[in-house]
Amino acid sequence: MTEAYIYDHVRTPRGKGRASGSLHSVTPIELASTALRSIRDRNELDTAHVDDVVLGCVAPVGEQGADIARVAVINADYAETTAGVQVNRFCASGLEAVNMAAGQIMSGQSDMTIGGGVESMSRVPMGSDGGAWPSDPAVAFHTYFVPQGVSADLLATKYGFSRDDVDAYAVESQKRAKRSWDEGRFDNSVVPVTDLNGKTVLDHDEHIRPDTDMQSLAALDPSFVHHGEQFGFNSVAIQRYPEIERIEHVHHAGNSSGIVDGAAAVLLGSKEMGEKLGLKPRARIRSFASIGSEPTIMLTGPSFSAEKALQRAGMGKDDIDVWELNEAFAAVVLRFMQALDIDHDQINVNGGAIAMGHPLGATGAMILGTVLDELERTGKGTALATLCVGAGMGTATIIERL
């Protein structure tokens, strides 16, 4: 099997995913093109050598519709011979895109690829693409569908995480994100988004709320009580998990991932292609895995995908130096640490989506880049990045710094 190497990665800053957000005026195609142009220009890349661009996008409709990856390739002035494909594995789409791009190299069918993702949540709201799972009563009944926020509260209830537990985790995420920005840990990876005149639109993650504390979070009402109690989804969840007497609603906007806009790109290639182009590899892909998990609780998949990726790499938990798990909800990370017995100082050390936001299709590629930067900053060797996924899945990738 051919080794797949990571040569570089970039991401845009994350802009607040609403009309007042700094990136609302920037189209999703331009966000994706910004990442592609940057990865090309900073590596002086002849894009005729890039076989394919794989981009995650969770709501591929409207401005994000059709095959946004191919159109971004054209819009970014890549060689017309570079192909492009859009993929959707819900929240793990960006990491799945990197894995698919790496898989092309590992199978010997491509020499150089780019994996990444894009999501403009301010312009194409979450859920715009519809789908049978939540909207077809027969499907929803058969699969015990509940909204993801109710799943997060079910997860917290089942595994014993209190409101204080999830709020304390959220406060720490904000502190770590602020420290990372203050110390310049993202300086080499975040590329500013500019307008047609070259003026900077945004050059930092604007969702961070560094003054967050336990008192300010305590003032927030739980977000999913209405869905659970008034719409009956608590009863559906308890039907699936009869050992639960009642669901404690502990999640709210302050301890859940932020809605934001953003894009990311990861440059991958074989050793031979890297040498041909004079590029130095930064890491290699050790393994990756995606799994299915129980869809009502929905958010337990990261530990199972991590274990599968570790098994495929011939590694154990103690072989991983740094862990990165998307902070979809605070209880997701708390359960992952509980399931795999991981210390908090080993995971999400630079903060996560609770502080910086979760641009659905791009986040997976972003966190893989973040954990690579952390390996280089600390001189450590191996990292595992993973995400929970809608409808009950998990995706994980293990990399080794070079």
Side-chain angles (χ1 to χ4, degrees), residues 17-39:
R18 53 178 183 256
S20 60
S22 296
L23 296 182
H24 177 65
S25 62
V26 183
T27 62
I29 195 70
E30 189 57 33
L31 286 176
S33 299
T34 294
L36 292 180
R37 292 188 195 107
S38 179
I39 206 87

Side-chain angles (χ1 to χ4, degrees), residues 25 61 90 96 147 247 286 316 322 365 379:
S25 62
V61 296
F90 297 136
E96 188 65 45
I247 292 176
R286 285 290 300 268
V322 184

Side-chain angles (χ1 to χ4, degrees), residues 218-238:
L220 299 176
D221 293 329
S223 296
F224 308 107
V225 174
H226 187 68
H227 292 83
E229 295 181 357
Q230 303 302 317
F231 292 168
F233 287 114
N234 281 1
S235 297
V236 175
I238 291 170

Side-chain angles (χ1 to χ4, degrees), residues 320-343:
I320 299 299
D321 297 316
V322 184
W323 302 78
E324 192 79 18
L325 169 58
N326 182 42
E327 294 174 350
F329 301 91
V332 173
V333 189
L334 294 176
R335 171 55 189 162
F336 184 81
M337 291 191 291
Q338 183 186 70
L340 294 184
D341 191 22
I342 296 169
D343 292 334

Side-chain angles (χ1 to χ4, degrees), residues 127-388:
S128 296
D129 54 331
W133 189 39
S135 62
D136 185 327
V139 176
F141 178 82
H142 176 69
T143 58
Y144 293 91
F145 166 79
V146 302
Q148 197 169 84
V150 175
S151 294
D153 289 337
L154 170 62
L155 182 75
T157 302
K158 180 174 173 59
Y159 292 102
F161 305 123
S162 68
R163 172 70 182 259
D164 282 350
D165 291 335
V166 292
D167 282 357
Y169 181 88
V171 170
E172 183 63 19
S173 178
Q174 296 283 355
K175 289 179 179 178
R176 293 182 181 193
K178 182 182 186 302
R179 180 188 64 200
S180 297
W181 271 104
D182 289 347
E183 295 181 358
R185 296 186 187 183
F186 300 128
D187 288 354
N188 190 49
S189 303
V190 175
V191 296
V193 177
T194 59
D195 62 17
L196 292 174
N197 298 314
K199 182 179 178 180
T200 297
V201 175
L202 186 66
D203 61 3
H204 64 281
D205 294 326
E206 68 174 344
H207 188 270
I208 298 175
R209 298 179 297 277
D211 296 330
T212 298
D213 57 23
M214 292 294 286
Q215 290 71 32
S216 62
L217 293 185
L220 299 176
D221 293 329
S223 296
F224 308 107
V225 174
H226 187 68
H227 292 83
E229 295 181 357
Q230 303 302 317
F231 292 168
F233 287 114
N234 281 1
S235 297
V236 175
I238 291 170
Q239 272 191 306
R240 184 63 183 83
Y241 289 88
E243 69 272 23
I244 304 295
E245 288 189 18
R246 65 186 302 271
I247 292 176
E248 299 293 337
H249 291 284
V250 298
H251 288 96
H252 50 74
N255 57 35
S256 306
S257 55
I259 294 172
V260 294
D261 305 331
V266 179
L267 179 63
L268 303 135
S270 65
K271 180 180 179 181
E272 291 74 19
M273 181 55 71
E275 291 175 345
K276 179 178 180 178
L277 299 180
L279 299 175
K280 182 180 179 181
R282 296 172 61 180
R284 70 182 179 104
I285 305 286
R286 285 290 300 268
S287 70
F288 50 81
S290 288
I291 59 90
S293 60
E294 199 285 306
T296 300
I297 204 165
M298 199 183 308
L299 305 171
T300 57
S303 64
F304 303 126
S305 60
E307 289 169 339
K308 189 172 184 178
L310 287 168
Q311 183 180 24
R312 286 185 169 170
M315 302 171 72
K317 176 181 75 74
D318 294 339
D319 295 318
I320 299 299
D321 297 316
V322 184
W323 302 78
E324 192 79 18
L325 169 58
N326 182 42
E327 294 174 350
F329 301 91
V332 173
V333 189
L334 294 176
R335 171 55 189 162
F336 184 81
M337 291 191 291
Q338 183 186 70
L340 294 184
D341 191 22
I342 296 169
D343 292 334
H344 196 181
D345 60 5
Q346 288 183 284
I347 188 167
N348 295 357
V349 297
N350 294 299
I354 289 173
M356 294 179 283
H358 174 23
L360 303 177
T363 305
M366 288 182 172
I367 67 171
L368 188 68
T370 295
V371 83
L372 172 54
D373 289 346
E374 181 63 17
L375 290 180
E376 293 176 336
R377 186 184 74 85
T378 60
K380 294 178 179 178
T382 58
L384 187 150
T386 182
L387 302 92
C388 59

Side-chain angles (χ1 to χ4, degrees), residues 7-90:
Y7 286 96
D8 200 10
H9 73 91
V10 299
R11 72 169 176 91
T12 69
R14 298 166 168 108
K16 292 179 180 178
R18 53 178 183 256
S20 60
S22 296
L23 296 182
H24 177 65
S25 62
V26 183
T27 62
I29 195 70
E30 189 57 33
L31 286 176
S33 299
T34 294
L36 292 180
R37 292 188 195 107
S38 179
I39 206 87
R40 175 196 63 200
D41 295 346
R42 63 195 245 157
N43 291 283
E44 300 179 349
L45 187 63
D46 178 355
T47 56
H49 295 291
V50 179
D51 296 298
D52 202 6
V53 172
V54 187
L55 294 184
C57 183
V58 175
V61 296
E63 292 180 307
Q64 294 181 165
D67 182 354
I68 192 171
R70 171 58 179 168
V71 181
V73 163
I74 300 168
N75 191 57
D77 296 319
Y78 272 48
E80 66 179 27
T81 53
T82 301
V85 61
Q86 174 267 330
V87 300
N88 180 8
R89 196 186 290 278
F90 297 136

